[in-house]
Coordinates of all heavy atoms in Angstrom, one line a residue:
P1 N 0.8 -1.2 0.0 CA 0.0 0.0 0.0 C 0.9 1.3 0.0 O 1.9 1.3 0.6 CB -0.8 -0.1 1.3 CG -0.2 -1.1 2.1 CD 0.7 -1.9 1.2
S2 N 0.4 2.3 -0.7 CA 1.2 3.5 -0.8 C 0.3 4.6 -0.3 O -0.8 4.7 -0.7 CB 1.6 3.7 -2.2 OG 2.2 4.9 -2.3
D3 N 0.9 5.5 0.5 CA 0.2 6.7 0.9 C 0.5 7.9 0.0 O 0.0 9.0 0.3 CB 0.6 7.1 2.4 CG 0.0 6.1 3.4 OD1 -0.9 5.4 3.0 OD2 0.4 6.1 4.5
S4 N 1.3 7.7 -1.0 CA 1.6 8.8 -1.9 C 1.9 8.3 -3.3 O 2.2 7.1 -3.4 CB 2.8 9.6 -1.4 OG 3.9 8.8 -1.4
L5 N 1.7 9.2 -4.2 CA 2.0 8.8 -5.6 C 3.5 8.9 -5.9 O 4.1 9.9 -5.4 CB 1.2 9.7 -6.5 CG -0.3 9.6 -6.3 CD1 -1.0 10.5 -7.3 CD2 -0.8 8.2 -6.5
V6 N 4.0 8.0 -6.6 CA 5.5 8.1 -6.9 C 5.7 8.9 -8.2 O 5.1 8.6 -9.3 CB 6.0 6.6 -7.1 CG1 7.5 6.7 -7.5 CG2 5.8 5.8 -5.9
G7 N 6.4 10.0 -8.1 CA 6.7 10.8 -9.3 C 5.4 11.4 -9.9 O 5.4 11.8 -11.0
G8 N 4.4 11.6 -9.0 CA 3.2 12.2 -9.5 C 2.3 11.3 -10.3 O 1.2 11.7 -10.8
R9 N 2.7 10.1 -10.5 CA 2.0 9.1 -11.3 C 1.8 7.8 -10.5 O 2.7 7.3 -9.9 CB 2.7 8.8 -12.6 CG 2.0 7.9 -13.5 CD 2.7 7.9 -14.9 NE 2.4 6.7 -15.7 CZ 1.2 6.5 -16.3 NH1 0.3 7.3 -16.2 NH2 1.0 5.4 -17.0
A10 N 0.6 7.3 -10.5 CA 0.3 6.1 -9.8 C 0.8 4.9 -10.6 O 0.7 4.8 -11.8 CB -1.2 5.9 -9.6
P11 N 1.4 3.9 -9.9 CA 1.8 2.7 -10.6 C 0.6 1.9 -11.0 O -0.5 2.1 -10.5 CB 2.6 2.0 -9.5 CG 2.2 2.5 -8.2 CD 1.7 3.9 -8.5
P12 N 0.8 0.9 -11.9 CA -0.3 0.1 -12.4 C -1.0 -0.7 -11.3 O -0.3 -1.0 -10.3 CB 0.3 -0.8 -13.4 CG 1.6 -0.2 -13.8 CD 2.0 0.6 -12.6
G13 N -2.2 -1.0 -11.4 CA -2.9 -1.8 -10.4 C -2.6 -3.2 -10.4 O -1.7 -3.7 -11.1
P14 N -3.3 -4.0 -9.6 CA -3.0 -5.5 -9.5 C -3.1 -6.2 -10.8 O -2.3 -7.1 -11.0 CB -4.1 -6.0 -8.5 CG -4.8 -4.8 -7.9 CD -4.4 -3.6 -8.8
A15 N -4.0 -5.9 -11.7 CA -4.1 -6.6 -12.9 C -3.4 -5.8 -14.1 O -3.7 -6.1 -15.2 CB -5.6 -6.9 -13.3
G16 N -2.6 -4.8 -13.7 CA -2.0 -4.0 -14.8 C -2.9 -2.9 -15.2 O -2.5 -2.1 -16.2
D17 N -4.0 -2.7 -14.6 CA -5.0 -1.6 -15.0 C -4.4 -0.3 -14.6 O -3.8 -0.2 -13.6 CB -6.3 -1.8 -14.4 CG -7.0 -3.1 -14.8 OD1 -6.7 -3.6 -15.9 OD2 -7.7 -3.7 -14.0
E18 N -4.8 0.7 -15.3 CA -4.4 2.1 -14.9 C -5.5 2.6 -14.0 O -6.7 2.3 -14.2 CB -4.4 3.0 -16.2 CG -3.2 2.7 -17.0 CD -1.9 3.1 -16.4 OE1 -1.8 4.2 -15.7 OE2 -0.9 2.4 -16.5
P19 N -5.2 3.4 -13.0 CA -6.2 3.9 -12.1 C -7.1 4.9 -12.8 O -6.7 5.6 -13.7 CB -5.4 4.6 -10.9 CG -4.0 4.8 -11.5 CD -3.8 3.8 -12.6
V20 N -8.3 5.0 -12.3 CA -9.3 6.0 -12.9 C -9.3 7.2 -12.0 O -9.9 8.2 -12.4 CB -10.7 5.4 -12.9 CG1 -10.8 4.2 -13.9 CG2 -11.2 5.0 -11.5
G21 N -8.6 7.2 -10.9 CA -8.5 8.4 -10.1 C -7.8 8.1 -8.8 O -7.3 7.0 -8.5
V22 N -7.7 9.1 -7.9 CA -7.1 9.0 -6.6 C -8.0 9.5 -5.6 O -8.7 10.6 -5.8 CB -5.8 9.8 -6.6 CG1 -5.2 9.8 -5.2 CG2 -4.8 9.3 -7.6
L23 N -8.2 8.8 -4.5 CA -9.0 9.2 -3.4 C -8.1 9.7 -2.3 O -7.3 9.0 -1.8 CB -9.9 8.1 -2.9 CG -10.7 8.3 -1.6 CD1 -11.9 9.3 -2.0 CD2 -11.3 7.1 -1.1
A24 N -8.3 11.0 -1.8 CA -7.6 11.5 -0.7 C -8.5 11.5 0.5 O -9.6 12.0 0.4 CB -7.1 12.9 -1.0
L25 N -8.0 11.0 1.6 CA -8.8 10.8 2.8 C -8.0 11.5 3.9 O -6.8 11.3 4.1 CB -9.0 9.4 3.1 CG -9.6 9.0 4.5 CD1 -11.0 9.5 4.6 CD2 -9.5 7.5 4.8
R26 N -8.7 12.3 4.7 CA -8.1 13.0 5.9 C -8.8 12.5 7.1 O -10.0 12.9 7.3 CB -8.1 14.5 5.7 CG -7.4 15.2 6.9 CD -7.4 16.7 6.8 NE -6.6 17.0 5.6 CZ -6.7 18.1 5.0 NH1 -7.6 19.0 5.3 NH2 -5.9 18.4 3.9
L27 N -8.1 11.8 8.0 CA -8.7 11.4 9.3 C -8.2 12.4 10.3 O -7.0 12.5 10.6 CB -8.2 10.0 9.6 CG -8.7 8.9 8.8 CD1 -8.1 7.5 9.2 CD2 -10.2 8.8 8.9
I28 N -9.1 13.1 10.9 CA -8.8 14.2 11.8 C -8.7 13.7 13.2 O -7.6 13.8 13.9 CB -9.8 15.3 11.7 CG1 -9.7 15.9 10.3 CG2 -9.5 16.4 12.7 CD1 -10.7 16.9 9.9
S29 N -9.8 13.1 13.8 CA -9.7 12.7 15.2 C -10.8 11.7 15.5 O -11.7 11.4 14.6 CB -9.9 13.9 16.1 OG -11.2 14.5 15.9
A30 N -10.8 11.1 16.7 CA -11.9 10.3 17.2 C -12.3 10.9 18.5 O -11.4 11.5 19.2 CB -11.4 8.9 17.4
T31 N -13.5 10.8 18.9 CA -14.0 11.5 20.1 C -14.8 10.5 20.9 O -15.4 9.6 20.4 CB -14.9 12.7 19.8 OG1 -16.0 12.3 19.0 CG2 -14.1 13.8 19.1
D32 N -14.8 10.7 22.2 CA -15.6 10.0 23.2 C -15.4 8.5 23.2 O -16.3 7.7 23.3 CB -17.1 10.3 23.0 CG -17.4 11.8 23.2 OD1 -16.7 12.4 24.0 OD2 -18.3 12.3 22.5
L33 N -14.1 8.1 23.1 CA -13.8 6.7 23.2 C -13.9 6.2 24.7 O -13.8 7.1 25.6 CB -12.4 6.4 22.7 CG -12.2 6.7 21.2 CD1 -10.7 6.4 20.8 CD2 -13.1 6.0 20.3
P34 N -14.1 5.0 24.9 CA -14.2 4.5 26.3 C -13.0 4.9 27.1 O -11.9 4.9 26.6 CB -14.3 3.0 26.2 CG -14.8 2.7 24.8 CD -14.3 3.9 24.0
P35 N -13.1 5.4 28.3 CA -12.0 5.8 29.1 C -11.0 4.7 29.5 O -11.4 3.5 29.5 CB -12.6 6.4 30.4 CG -13.9 5.7 30.5 CD -14.4 5.4 29.1
E36 N -9.8 5.1 29.8 CA -8.8 4.1 30.2 C -9.2 3.6 31.6 O -9.8 4.3 32.4 CB -7.4 4.8 30.3 CG -6.9 5.3 29.0 CD -5.5 5.9 29.1 OE1 -4.9 5.8 30.1 OE2 -5.2 6.6 28.1
T37 N -8.9 2.3 31.8 CA -9.3 1.7 33.1 C -8.1 1.1 33.8 O -7.3 0.4 33.2 CB -10.4 0.6 32.9 OG1 -9.8 -0.3 32.0 CG2 -11.6 1.2 32.3
G38 N -8.0 1.4 35.1 CA -6.9 0.8 35.9 C -5.5 1.0 35.3 O -5.1 2.1 34.9
L39 N -4.8 -0.1 35.3 CA -3.4 -0.1 34.8 C -3.3 -0.3 33.3 O -2.2 -0.3 32.7 CB -2.6 -1.2 35.5 CG -2.6 -1.1 37.0 CD1 -1.8 -2.3 37.6 CD2 -1.8 0.2 37.4
M40 N -4.4 -0.5 32.6 CA -4.4 -0.8 31.2 C -4.3 0.5 30.4 O -5.3 1.3 30.3 CB -5.6 -1.6 30.7 CG -5.7 -2.9 31.3 SD -7.0 -4.0 30.6 CE -8.4 -3.0 30.7
A41 N -3.1 0.8 29.8 CA -3.0 1.9 28.9 C -3.6 1.6 27.6 O -3.5 0.5 27.1 CB -1.5 2.2 28.7
R42 N -4.4 2.4 27.1 CA -5.2 2.1 25.8 C -4.8 3.1 24.8 O -4.7 4.3 25.0 CB -6.7 2.2 26.1 CG -7.1 1.1 27.0 CD -8.7 1.1 27.1 NE -9.1 0.1 28.0 CZ -9.5 -1.1 27.6 NH1 -9.5 -1.4 26.4 NH2 -10.0 -1.9 28.5
E43 N -4.5 2.6 23.6 CA -4.1 3.4 22.5 C -5.1 3.1 21.4 O -5.5 2.0 21.1 CB -2.7 3.1 22.0 CG -1.7 3.4 23.0 CD -0.3 3.1 22.5 OE1 -0.1 2.0 21.9 OE2 0.6 3.9 22.8
A44 N -5.5 4.2 20.7 CA -6.5 4.0 19.6 C -5.8 4.3 18.2 O -4.8 5.0 18.2 CB -7.6 5.0 19.7
Y45 N -6.3 3.6 17.2 CA -5.8 3.8 15.8 C -6.8 3.5 14.8 O -7.8 2.8 15.1 CB -4.5 3.0 15.6 CG -4.6 1.5 15.6 CD1 -4.8 0.8 14.4 CD2 -4.6 0.8 16.8 CE1 -4.9 -0.6 14.5 CE2 -4.8 -0.5 16.8 CZ -4.9 -1.2 15.7 OH -5.1 -2.6 15.7
A46 N -6.7 4.1 13.7 CA -7.7 3.9 12.6 C -7.0 3.2 11.4 O -5.8 3.4 11.2 CB -8.3 5.2 12.2
V47 N -7.8 2.3 10.8 CA -7.3 1.6 9.6 C -8.3 1.9 8.4 O -9.5 1.7 8.6 CB -7.2 0.1 9.8 CG1 -6.8 -0.6 8.5 CG2 -6.2 -0.2 10.9
A48 N -7.8 2.4 7.3 CA -8.6 2.7 6.1 C -8.2 1.7 5.1 O -7.0 1.4 4.9 CB -8.4 4.1 5.6
Q49 N -9.2 1.2 4.4 CA -8.9 0.2 3.3 C -9.8 0.5 2.1 O -11.0 0.7 2.2 CB -9.2 -1.2 3.8 CG -8.9 -2.3 2.9 CD -9.0 -3.7 3.5 OE1 -9.3 -3.9 4.6 NE2 -8.6 -4.7 2.7
L50 N -9.2 0.4 0.9 CA -9.9 0.6 -0.3 C -9.3 -0.5 -1.2 O -8.2 -0.5 -1.6 CB -9.6 2.0 -1.0 CG -10.3 2.2 -2.3 CD1 -11.8 2.4 -2.0 CD2 -9.7 3.4 -3.0
G51 N -10.2 -1.5 -1.5 CA -9.8 -2.6 -2.3 C -8.7 -3.4 -1.5 O -8.8 -3.7 -0.3
H52 N -7.5 -3.6 -2.2 CA -6.4 -4.3 -1.5 C -5.4 -3.3 -0.8 O -4.4 -3.8 -0.3 CB -5.7 -5.2 -2.5 CG -6.5 -6.3 -3.0 ND1 -6.9 -7.3 -2.3 CD2 -7.1 -6.5 -4.3 CE1 -7.7 -8.1 -3.0 NE2 -7.8 -7.6 -4.2
Q53 N -5.7 -2.0 -0.9 CA -4.8 -1.0 -0.3 C -5.3 -0.7 1.1 O -6.4 -0.6 1.4 CB -4.9 0.2 -1.1 CG -4.5 0.1 -2.6 CD -4.9 1.3 -3.4 OE1 -4.2 2.3 -3.4 NE2 -6.0 1.2 -4.1
Q54 N -4.3 -0.6 2.0 CA -4.6 -0.3 3.4 C -3.6 0.6 4.0 O -2.4 0.6 3.6 CB -4.6 -1.7 4.2 CG -4.9 -1.5 5.6 CD -5.0 -2.9 6.3 OE1 -5.6 -3.8 5.8 NE2 -4.3 -3.0 7.4
S55 N -4.1 1.5 4.9 CA -3.2 2.4 5.5 C -3.7 2.7 6.9 O -4.9 2.6 7.2 CB -3.1 3.8 4.8 OG -2.2 4.6 5.3
S56 N -2.9 2.9 7.9 CA -3.3 3.1 9.3 C -2.7 4.4 9.9 O -1.6 4.9 9.4 CB -3.0 1.9 10.1 OG -1.6 1.7 10.2
T57 N -3.3 4.9 10.9 CA -2.8 6.0 11.7 C -1.8 5.5 12.7 O -1.7 4.3 13.0 CB -3.9 6.8 12.4 OG1 -4.5 5.9 13.4 CG2 -5.0 7.2 11.4
Q58 N -1.1 6.4 13.3 CA -0.3 6.0 14.5 C -1.2 5.7 15.7 O -2.4 6.1 15.7 CB 0.7 7.1 14.8 CG 0.1 8.4 15.4 CD 1.1 9.5 15.6 OE1 1.9 9.7 14.7 NE2 1.0 10.1 16.7
R59 N -0.7 5.0 16.6 CA -1.5 4.6 17.8 C -1.3 5.8 18.8 O -0.2 6.1 19.1 CB -1.0 3.3 18.4 CG -1.4 2.1 17.5 CD -0.5 0.9 17.8 NE -1.0 -0.3 17.2 CZ -1.0 -0.6 15.9 NH1 -0.4 0.3 15.0 NH2 -1.5 -1.7 15.4
L60 N -2.4 6.3 19.3 CA -2.4 7.4 20.2 C -3.2 7.1 21.5 O -4.3 6.5 21.4 CB -3.0 8.6 19.6 CG -2.2 9.2 18.3 CD1 -3.0 10.3 17.6 CD2 -0.8 9.7 18.8
P61 N -2.8 7.6 22.7 CA -3.5 7.4 23.9 C -4.7 8.3 24.1 O -4.8 9.3 23.3 CB -2.4 7.6 25.0 CG -1.5 8.7 24.3 CD -1.5 8.3 22.9
G62 N -5.5 8.0 25.0 CA -6.6 9.0 25.4 C -7.9 8.6 24.8 O -8.1 7.7 23.9
S63 N -8.9 9.3 25.2 CA -10.3 9.1 24.7 C -10.7 10.0 23.5 O -11.7 9.8 22.9 CB -11.3 9.4 25.9 OG -11.1 8.5 26.9
N64 N -9.8 10.9 23.2 CA -10.1 11.8 22.1 C -8.8 12.0 21.2 O -8.3 13.1 21.1 CB -10.6 13.2 22.6 CG -11.9 13.1 23.3 OD1 -12.9 12.7 22.8 ND2 -11.8 13.4 24.6
P65 N -8.3 10.9 20.6 CA -7.0 11.0 19.9 C -7.2 11.9 18.6 O -8.2 11.9 18.0 CB -6.7 9.6 19.5 CG -8.0 8.9 19.5 CD -8.8 9.6 20.6
V66 N -6.1 12.7 18.4 CA -6.1 13.6 17.2 C -5.1 13.0 16.2 O -3.9 13.0 16.5 CB -5.8 15.0 17.6 CG1 -5.7 15.9 16.3 CG2 -6.8 15.6 18.6
F67 N -5.6 12.5 15.1 CA -4.7 11.8 14.2 C -4.1 12.8 13.1 O -2.9 12.6 12.8 CB -5.5 10.7 13.4 CG -6.1 9.7 14.3 CD1 -7.4 9.5 14.4 CD2 -5.2 8.8 15.1 CE1 -8.0 8.5 15.2 CE2 -5.8 7.9 15.9 CZ -7.2 7.7 15.9
H68 N -4.8 13.6 12.6 CA -4.4 14.5 11.5 C -3.6 13.7 10.5 O -2.4 14.1 10.2 CB -3.6 15.7 12.0 CG -4.5 16.8 12.7 ND1 -5.4 17.5 12.0 CD2 -4.5 17.2 13.9 CE1 -6.0 18.3 12.8 NE2 -5.5 18.1 14.0
R69 N -4.2 12.7 9.9 CA -3.5 11.8 9.0 C -4.1 11.9 7.6 O -5.3 11.7 7.5 CB -3.5 10.4 9.5 CG -2.9 9.3 8.7 CD -1.4 9.3 8.8 NE -0.9 8.0 8.4 CZ -0.6 7.7 7.2 NH1 -0.8 8.5 6.2 NH2 -0.1 6.5 7.0
E70 N -3.3 12.1 6.6 CA -3.9 12.2 5.2 C -3.4 10.9 4.5 O -2.2 10.5 4.6 CB -3.4 13.4 4.5 CG -4.1 13.6 3.2 CD -3.9 15.0 2.6 OE1 -4.3 16.0 3.3 OE2 -3.5 15.0 1.5
M71 N -4.3 10.3 3.8 CA -4.0 9.0 3.1 C -4.5 9.2 1.7 O -5.5 9.8 1.4 CB -4.7 7.8 3.7 CG -4.4 7.7 5.2 SD -5.5 6.4 5.9 CE -5.1 6.5 7.6
C72 N -3.7 8.6 0.7 CA -4.2 8.6 -0.7 C -4.3 7.2 -1.2 O -3.4 6.4 -0.9 CB -3.2 9.4 -1.5 SG -3.2 11.1 -1.2
F73 N -5.3 6.9 -1.9 CA -5.6 5.6 -2.4 C -5.8 5.7 -3.9 O -6.5 6.6 -4.4 CB -6.8 4.9 -1.8 CG -6.7 4.7 -0.3 CD1 -7.2 5.6 0.6 CD2 -6.1 3.5 0.1 CE1 -7.1 5.4 2.0 CE2 -6.0 3.3 1.5 CZ -6.4 4.2 2.4
Q74 N -5.3 4.8 -4.7 CA -5.5 4.7 -6.1 C -6.9 4.0 -6.3 O -7.2 3.0 -5.7 CB -4.5 3.9 -6.8 CG -3.1 4.4 -6.6 CD -2.0 3.4 -7.0 OE1 -2.2 2.7 -7.9 NE2 -0.9 3.5 -6.3
V75 N -7.7 4.6 -7.2 CA -9.0 4.0 -7.4 C -9.0 3.4 -8.8 O -8.7 4.0 -9.8 CB -10.1 5.2 -7.4 CG1 -11.5 4.6 -7.7 CG2 -10.1 5.8 -6.1
F76 N -9.3 2.1 -8.8 CA -9.3 1.3 -10.1 C -10.7 1.0 -10.6 O -10.9 0.8 -11.8 CB -8.5 0.0 -9.9 CG -7.0 0.3 -9.7 CD1 -6.5 0.3 -8.4 CD2 -6.1 0.5 -10.7 CE1 -5.2 0.6 -8.2 CE2 -4.8 0.8 -10.5 CZ -4.3 0.8 -9.2
R77 N -11.6 1.0 -9.7 CA -13.1 0.8 -10.0 C -13.9 1.8 -9.1 O -13.6 1.9 -8.0 CB -13.5 -0.6 -9.7 CG -12.8 -1.7 -10.6 CD -13.3 -3.0 -10.1 NE -14.7 -3.1 -10.0 CZ -15.5 -4.0 -10.5 NH1 -15.0 -5.0 -11.2 NH2 -16.8 -4.0 -10.3
V78 N -14.9 2.4 -9.7 CA -15.7 3.4 -9.0 C -16.6 2.7 -8.0 O -17.2 3.4 -7.2 CB -16.4 4.3 -10.0 CG1 -15.5 5.1 -10.8 CG2 -17.4 3.5 -10.9
D79 N -16.8 1.4 -8.1 CA -17.7 0.7 -7.2 C -17.0 0.0 -6.1 O -17.5 -0.9 -5.4 CB -18.6 -0.3 -7.9 CG -17.8 -1.4 -8.7 OD1 -16.6 -1.2 -8.8 OD2 -18.4 -2.3 -9.1
T80 N -15.7 0.4 -5.8 CA -15.0 -0.2 -4.7 C -15.3 0.5 -3.4 O -15.3 1.8 -3.3 CB -13.4 0.0 -5.0 OG1 -13.2 -0.7 -6.2 CG2 -12.6 -0.7 -3.9
A81 N -15.5 -0.2 -2.3 CA -15.9 0.4 -1.0 C -14.7 0.8 -0.2 O -13.7 0.2 -0.2 CB -16.7 -0.7 -0.2
L82 N -14.9 2.0 0.4 CA -13.9 2.5 1.4 C -14.3 2.1 2.8 O -15.5 2.3 3.1 CB -13.8 4.0 1.3 CG -12.9 4.7 2.4 CD1 -11.4 4.3 2.2 CD2 -13.1 6.2 2.3
T83 N -13.5 1.4 3.5 CA -13.8 1.0 4.9 C -12.8 1.7 5.8 O -11.6 1.6 5.6 CB -13.7 -0.5 5.0 OG1 -14.5 -1.2 4.0 CG2 -14.1 -1.0 6.4
I84 N -13.4 2.3 6.9 CA -12.6 2.9 7.9 C -13.0 2.2 9.3 O -14.1 2.2 9.6 CB -12.8 4.4 8.0 CG1 -12.5 5.1 6.7 CG2 -12.0 5.0 9.1 CD1 -12.9 6.5 6.6
S85 N -12.0 1.6 9.9 CA -12.2 0.9 11.2 C -11.4 1.6 12.3 O -10.3 2.0 12.0 CB -11.8 -0.5 11.1 OG -12.5 -1.2 10.0
L86 N -12.0 1.7 13.5 CA -11.3 2.3 14.6 C -11.1 1.2 15.6 O -12.0 0.5 16.0 CB -12.2 3.4 15.2 CG -11.6 4.2 16.4 CD1 -10.3 4.9 16.0 CD2 -12.6 5.2 16.9
Y87 N -9.8 1.1 16.1 CA -9.5 0.1 17.0 C -8.9 0.7 18.3 O -8.4 1.8 18.3 CB -8.4 -0.8 16.5 CG -8.8 -1.6 15.3 CD1 -8.7 -1.2 14.0 CD2 -9.4 -2.9 15.5 CE1 -9.1 -1.9 12.9 CE2 -9.8 -3.7 14.4 CZ -9.6 -3.2 13.1 OH -10.1 -3.9 12.0
R88 N -9.1 -0.1 19.4 CA -8.6 0.4 20.7 C -7.7 -0.8 21.3 O -8.2 -1.9 21.4 CB -9.7 0.7 21.6 CG -9.4 1.4 22.9 CD -9.1 2.9 22.6 NE -8.6 3.6 23.7 CZ -9.3 4.4 24.5 NH1 -10.6 4.6 24.2 NH2 -8.7 5.0 25.4
E89 N -6.5 -0.5 21.5 CA -5.6 -1.5 22.1 C -5.6 -1.4 23.6 O -5.8 -0.4 24.2 CB -4.1 -1.3 21.7 CG -3.9 -1.7 20.3 CD -2.4 -1.6 20.0 OE1 -1.7 -0.9 20.6 OE2 -2.0 -2.3 19.0
G90 N -5.4 -2.6 24.3 CA -5.3 -2.6 25.7 C -4.1 -3.5 26.1 O -3.6 -4.3 25.3
W91 N -3.6 -3.3 27.2 CA -2.5 -4.1 27.8 C -1.2 -3.8 27.0 O -0.3 -4.7 27.0 CB -2.8 -5.6 27.7 CG -4.1 -5.9 28.4 CD1 -4.3 -5.8 29.8 CD2 -5.3 -6.3 27.8 NE1 -5.6 -6.2 30.0 CE2 -6.3 -6.5 28.9 CE3 -5.7 -6.5 26.5 CZ2 -7.6 -6.8 28.7 CZ3 -7.0 -6.9 26.3 CH2 -7.9 -7.0 27.4
G92 N -1.0 -2.7 26.4 CA 0.2 -2.3 25.8 C 0.3 -2.8 24.3 O -0.5 -3.4 23.8
R93 N 1.4 -2.5 23.7 CA 1.7 -2.8 22.3 C 1.9 -4.3 22.1 O 2.3 -5.0 23.0 CB 2.9 -2.1 21.8 CG 2.8 -0.6 21.8 CD 4.0 0.1 21.2 NE 4.0 1.5 21.4 CZ 3.4 2.4 20.7 NH1 2.7 2.0 19.6 NH2 3.5 3.7 21.0
G94 N 1.6 -4.8 21.0 CA 1.8 -6.2 20.6 C 0.6 -7.0 20.9 O 0.5 -8.2 20.5
I95 N -0.4 -6.5 21.6 CA -1.7 -7.3 21.8 C -2.7 -6.8 20.8 O -2.8 -5.6 20.5 CB -2.2 -7.0 23.2 CG1 -1.2 -7.4 24.3 CG2 -3.5 -7.7 23.5 CD1 -0.8 -8.8 24.3
F96 N -3.5 -7.7 20.2 CA -4.5 -7.4 19.2 C -5.4 -6.3 19.7 O -5.9 -6.4 20.9 CB -5.2 -8.6 18.8 CG -4.3 -9.6 18.1 CD1 -4.0 -10.8 18.7 CD2 -3.8 -9.3 16.8 CE1 -3.1 -11.7 18.1 CE2 -3.0 -10.2 16.2 CZ -2.7 -11.4 16.8
G97 N -5.8 -5.4 18.9 CA -6.7 -4.4 19.3 C -8.2 -4.8 19.1 O -8.5 -5.8 18.5
S98 N -9.1 -4.1 19.8 CA -10.5 -4.4 19.7 C -11.1 -3.4 18.8 O -10.9 -2.2 18.9 CB -11.1 -4.3 21.1 OG -10.5 -5.2 22.0
L99 N -12.0 -3.8 18.0 CA -12.7 -3.0 17.1 C -13.7 -2.1 17.8 O -14.5 -2.6 18.6 CB -13.5 -3.8 16.0 CG -14.3 -3.0 15.0 CD1 -13.3 -2.2 14.1 CD2 -15.1 -3.9 14.1
V100 N -13.6 -0.8 17.7 CA -14.5 0.1 18.4 C -15.6 0.6 17.4 O -16.7 0.7 17.8 CB -13.7 1.4 18.9 CG1 -14.6 2.4 19.5 CG2 -12.6 1.0 19.9
G101 N -15.3 0.8 16.2 CA -16.3 1.2 15.2 C -15.8 1.3 13.8 O -14.7 1.0 13.5

């Protein structure tokens, strides 16, 4: 997955197809996540996926993380779904996150 275009031109797609466009996505923040509990530090992160391309934000602590993350995806078909998932990790890094939304 690539978050930027190389040399201003997108490389060919999975089947050698040329992209029909580029989708720019800006993830600003998440609000009102469940509060941290006890000794469990919790970090939130978002994952955006378009077709086989995927990009994620950095993991940030707190109930209102501010990501300010811009992602670019090559669009090969106009009927491809964009999925954005928000995860919350517990018990530190290296443990699988829980899907929040």
Side-chain angles (χ1 to χ4, degrees):
S2 175
D3 285 347
S4 63
L5 301 178
V6 178
R9 180 168 161 75
D17 299 331
E18 289 292 321
V20 295
V22 175
L23 174 69
L25 170 68
R26 181 177 295 156
L27 293 176
I28 298 171
S29 64
T31 57
D32 299 327
L33 298 180
E36 297 179 15
T37 57
L39 299 175
M40 295 191 307
R42 295 187 181 263
E43 296 178 321
Y45 64 99
V47 176
Q49 185 171 2
L50 182 72
H52 296 290
Q53 303 167 80
Q54 181 175 309
S55 188
S56 63
T57 65
Q58 66 186 47
R59 288 159 169 78
L60 296 172
S63 296
N64 299 295
V66 178
F67 301 117
H68 284 296
R69 176 79 156 87
E70 192 166 302
M71 305 170 184
C72 290
F73 296 96
Q74 300 166 35
V75 179
F76 294 95
R77 294 177 47 131
V78 296
D79 61 348
T80 304
L82 171 67
T83 304
I84 303 170
S85 302
L86 182 63
Y87 294 92
R88 192 75 187 260
E89 284 186 339
W91 306 290
R93 295 184 194 273
I95 303 298
F96 295 107
S98 299
L99 181 63
V100 175

